[in-house]
């Protein structure tokens, strides 16, 4: 049989270039693991960006919440997933920058177990108390904490929330009692009920309750005031703490070993989503600053943030658990 006849006899799929197979991916929905509970800031970001990625990918991006252990459970699930691009992590500074400094045993390789695909957004946190709290300003709360060491309680449901609060306490020279929670919505409930005094959390978590009149915002953790709440002073201003700044972030990761062409395809989908007015408006509502990137830029960003968060944890005097 000559060469032409042989080729004619082969199935069409057998003679397609390898690149053609890559163009057919994804051929099924992509699973986006959120390592925190529904209603958390990470969950909000994931759902907005997932909707925006669908047109580029031609497949839905299905959000799955795997909360627990300060995000470690969900992150571990992605680190152990098949490296085929079909499972992605909506990671944060908690899971992908601070974990090694906060926990003695992290069940995945934080630095080498993932490929950063793209950064997504950054956001300051809000310092909040119950609306009828006796602490009308951050200065009031600091003064009360100095008068009663560990007499004021604070909630945290993620590493960034805890580090933000512990750093504030260390710089202000006060001691407060830490109350850990499984999720931000649960922490908010206990602030509203008066079971805990203070919660420093993402704007997506705090703003709706503040706008409803249930929470009072005392300060914002960024170096500059937030465009979402321009009337709220920074911790630097309100607490007279000129060196204080904490900003949370969100990024998309895939398991190490994921093929480069699929990383590129996912990056293009994130970039396209972040460029749409709908996504920008929805994230902007929660005071988030859009921050897309190339994969290489995301790698450099995560490395720098790991150093930054490790230093902040040590300076706050937080012992690994």
């Amino acid at each position: 049989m000559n060469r032409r006849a042989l080729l004619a006899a082969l199935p069409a799929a057998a003679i397609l270039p390898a690149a053609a197979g890559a163009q057919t991916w994804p051929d099924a929905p992509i699973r986006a693991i959120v390592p925190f509970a529904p209603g958390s800031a990470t969950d909000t970001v994931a759902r907005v960006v997932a909707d925006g990625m669908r047109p580029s990918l031609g497949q839905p991006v299905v959000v799955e919440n795997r909360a627990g252990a300060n995000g470690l459970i969900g992150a571990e699930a992605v680190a152990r997933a098949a490296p085929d691009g079909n499972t992605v992590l909506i990671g944060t500074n908690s899971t992908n920058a601070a974990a090694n400094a906060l926990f003695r045993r992290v069940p995945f390789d934080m630095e080498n177990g993932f490929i950063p695909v793209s950064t997504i957004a950054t956001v300051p946190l809000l310092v909040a108390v119950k609306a009828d709290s006796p602490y009308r300003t951050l200065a009031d709360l600091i003064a009360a904490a100095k008068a009663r060491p560990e007499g004021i309680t604070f909630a945290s449901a993620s590493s960034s929330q805890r580090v933000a609060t512990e750093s504030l306490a260390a710089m202000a020279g006060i001691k407060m009692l830490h109350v850990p929670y499984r999720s931000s919505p649960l922490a908010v409930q206990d602030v509203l009920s008066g079971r805990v005094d203070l919660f420093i959390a993402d704007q997506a978590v705090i703003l709706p309750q503040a706008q409803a009149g249930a929470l009072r915002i005392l300060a914002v953790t960024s170096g500059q005031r937030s465009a979402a709440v321009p009337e709220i002073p920074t911790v630097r201003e309100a607490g007279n703490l000129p060196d204080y700044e904490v900003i949370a972030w969100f990024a998309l990761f895939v398991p190490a070993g994921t093929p480069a062409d699929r990383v590129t395809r996912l990056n293009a989908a994130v970039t396209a989503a972040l460029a749409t007015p709908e996504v920008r408006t929805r994230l902007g509502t929660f005071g988030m600053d859009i921050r897309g990137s190339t994969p290489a830029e995301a790698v450099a960003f995560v490395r720098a943030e790991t150093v930054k968060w490790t230093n902040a944890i040590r300076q706050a005097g937080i012992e690994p658990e």
Side-chain angles (χ1 to χ4, degrees):
M1 185 181 292
N2 62 31
R3 184 173 183 274
R4 181 177 297 177
L6 177 62
L7 290 176
L10 290 173
I15 59 175
L16 286 174
Q23 293 302 315
T24 65
W25 182 88
D27 56 3
I30 290 175
R31 185 173 60 143
I33 301 295
V34 173
F36 298 102
S40 64
T42 312
D43 180 70
T44 299
V45 170
R47 294 180 188 279
V48 172
V49 174
D51 287 346
M53 291 173 67
R54 179 170 185 165
S56 297
L57 295 172
Q59 291 286 346
V61 179
V62 181
V63 173
E64 178 182 325
N65 297 91
R66 297 284 294 274
N70 285 278
L72 300 187
I73 291 175
E76 181 185 13
V78 177
R80 296 182 182 279
D84 53 13
N86 293 327
T87 303
V88 303
L89 171 70
I90 306 300
T92 72
N93 44 278
S94 293
T95 56
N96 294 85
N100 283 347
L102 280 174
F103 304 102
R104 291 188 176 89
R105 180 185 176 277
V106 176
F108 51 85
D109 188 333
M110 189 183 76
E111 297 180 11
N112 301 308
F114 302 94
I115 298 174
V117 174
S118 176
T119 52
I120 296 173
T122 61
V123 65
L125 310 183
L126 299 178
V127 182
V129 295
K130 190 178 178 183
D132 61 359
S133 167
Y135 314 119
R136 303 198 62 81
T137 67
L138 182 59
D140 290 343
L141 187 142
I142 291 173
K146 286 182 176 179
R148 296 186 296 124
E150 296 193 341
I152 291 177
T153 55
F154 74 90
S156 81
S158 73
S159 300
S160 57
Q161 293 168 2
R162 183 181 178 189
V163 173
T165 314
E166 298 273 23
S167 294
L168 189 158
M171 290 185 183
I174 60 177
K175 289 187 178 297
M176 297 185 289
L177 185 63
H178 179 214
V179 183
Y181 285 84
R182 182 177 174 82
S183 72
S184 291
L186 291 175
V188 168
Q189 289 177 18
D190 273 11
V191 175
L192 296 177
S193 68
R195 293 190 183 94
V196 67
D197 299 308
L198 173 70
F199 191 30
I200 301 182
D202 310 82
Q203 298 192 36
V205 173
I206 299 297
L207 269 181
Q209 294 291 344
Q211 291 167 342
L215 291 178
R216 176 188 301 141
I217 302 172
L218 303 182
V220 60
T221 65
S222 50
Q224 304 296 324
R225 293 195 180 196
S226 169
V229 284
E231 73 282 4
I232 302 298
T234 65
V235 169
R236 292 178 176 182
E237 297 172 303
N240 192 26
L241 302 172
D243 296 327
Y244 183 92
E245 181 180 23
V246 174
I247 298 176
W249 51 263
F250 312 91
L252 190 141
F253 297 83
V254 291
T258 299
D261 60 331
R262 297 190 178 186
V263 172
T264 299
R265 185 84 190 274
L266 287 167
N267 177 268
V270 174
T271 300
L274 296 178
T276 63
E278 180 182 4
V279 169
R280 299 183 74 87
T281 298
R282 290 174 68 186
L283 293 182
T285 300
F286 299 107
M288 297 183 186
D289 293 323
I290 305 299
R291 183 173 180 149
S293 73
T294 65
E297 289 168 341
V299 169
F301 175 83
V302 172
R303 285 176 178 167
E305 285 292 301
T306 299
V307 173
K308 174 183 171 182
W309 281 86
T310 298
N311 289 339
I313 290 164
R314 289 172 178 168
Q315 290 168 5
I318 302 173
E319 294 293 330
E321 297 178 353

